[in-house]
Amino acid sequence: MRQQSELPGIAPARGGHCLAPGLTFYQGHFDDAAQRALADEIAEAVLQAPWYVPRMPRSGRAFSVKMTNCGSLGWVSDRDGGYRYQAVHPVTGAAWPSIPHLALNAWRALSSYPHPPEACLLNFYDSHARMGLHQDRDELEFAAPVVSISLGDSCCFRYGGLLRSDPAKKLELCSGDILVMGGAARLMFHGVDKIFAASSGLLPGGGRINLTLRRVTRPRPAGTGAARES
Ligand code: SIN
Ligand code: MN
């Protein structure tokens, strides 16, 4: 499957391709040097917050993807507590490390949202890992988009509509690509069908890392004494 470098008839939004209302694709946003620098920032973060295997609510079945987080909040899932955000790593109990600078820069440049993200979920896919079709809906603030950054091996990303049964399209996401899911696409169903093993040499040992930046809480309205946010 090849990525479309041109999407005829669709107006680019600030260097991006509008794939659907609210869904903007920034192909190759990070060049090779930026990808390496971001991968280095992630390697540092993972020393503090190691990859762990999340589990499905109720069944306790292991995800095929390993996860960790950066930010003041991290998305976690386990058998008894289900999907949620929390301030500490579920295995070490330590606070999550800071969000990588390059990821924050991408949020500032592309989110069109005036407040910083609170969570940066990191997913690691080996060549067998997948992610089923789902919505990102554990946040309180849907006015902020989800900004999704791909590094390492390419994948076949699938995205559809607001119903699981809506027709889905496929898009190859490569290292350095960014997808912004906001507005009408904020709650779209999406997932990862396949990893193209050894399609990138970025990550030692191969695999794919996806970072999703999320605003979790609703910012307090101006004038209510909220601390200034960066
Ligand atoms: C996710 O939906 O959390 C990850 C999507 C991706 O890996 O591209
Ligand atoms: Mn998701």
Side-chain angles (χ1 to χ4, degrees):
M1 187 179 64
R2 291 192 57 82
Q3 199 163 2
Q4 287 174 279
S5 56
E6 292 297 329
L7 296 166
I10 299 176
R14 300 194 326 262
H17 294 297
C18 177
L19 299 178
L23 179 65
T24 311
F25 178 45
Y26 296 88
Q27 187 176 31
H29 178 83
F30 286 126
D31 65 14
D32 289 353
Q35 290 170 40
R36 275 194 299 276
L38 181 53
D40 287 348
E41 284 197 273
I42 293 168
E44 280 290 315
V46 169
L47 292 177
Q48 279 183 65
W51 298 112
Y52 69 95
V53 177
R55 295 190 170 269
M56 299 295 290
R58 293 178 294 280
S59 71
R61 223 179 90 216
F63 282 52
S64 61
V65 173
K66 288 192 268 180
M67 292 185 179
T68 188
N69 288 269
C70 297
S72 54
L73 292 171
W75 188 89
V76 298
S77 175
D78 56 29
R79 194 190 61 181
D80 299 325
Y83 303 151
R84 63 194 186 279
Y85 283 92
Q86 65 181 40
V88 296
H89 190 290
V91 177
T92 68
W96 305 107
S98 318
I99 297 179
H101 292 94
L102 284 159
L104 276 180
N105 287 349
W107 175 272
R108 290 191 192 111
L110 305 179
S111 72
S112 307
Y113 185 76
H115 303 280
E118 294 165 303
C120 176
L121 171 63
L122 305 181
N123 294 320
F124 177 78
Y125 298 78
D126 66 18
S127 57
H128 304 292
R130 309 275 178 271
M131 186 168 291
L133 218 52
H134 66 279
Q135 293 171 297
D136 293 349
R137 55 179 318 140
D138 300 313
E139 303 72 33
L140 298 171
E141 175 63 317
F142 293 140
V146 171
V147 173
S148 170
I149 304 171
S150 293
L151 285 182
D153 287 341
S154 306
C155 77
C156 175
F157 181 81
R158 184 204 287 256
Y159 64 97
L162 299 181
L163 298 176
R164 187 179 289 280
S165 55
D166 284 342
K169 292 186 177 161
K170 291 179 178 180
L171 173 71
E172 185 173 349
L173 291 179
C174 299
S175 198
D177 291 346
I178 298 188
L179 208 49
V180 178
M181 301 180 255
R186 175 61 183 76
L187 290 174
M188 75 176 188
F189 275 88
H190 60 280
V192 172
D193 286 354
K194 184 176 170 51
I195 301 297
F196 299 112
S199 49
S200 159
L202 180 73
L203 303 175
R208 171 175 186 261
I209 293 176
N210 172 259
L211 302 84
T212 47
L213 295 155
R214 297 127 183 257
R215 178 76 197 191
V216 180
T217 66
R218 288 212 185 98
R220 282 194 265 176
T224 58
R228 192 183 150 272
E229 295 178 89
S230 63

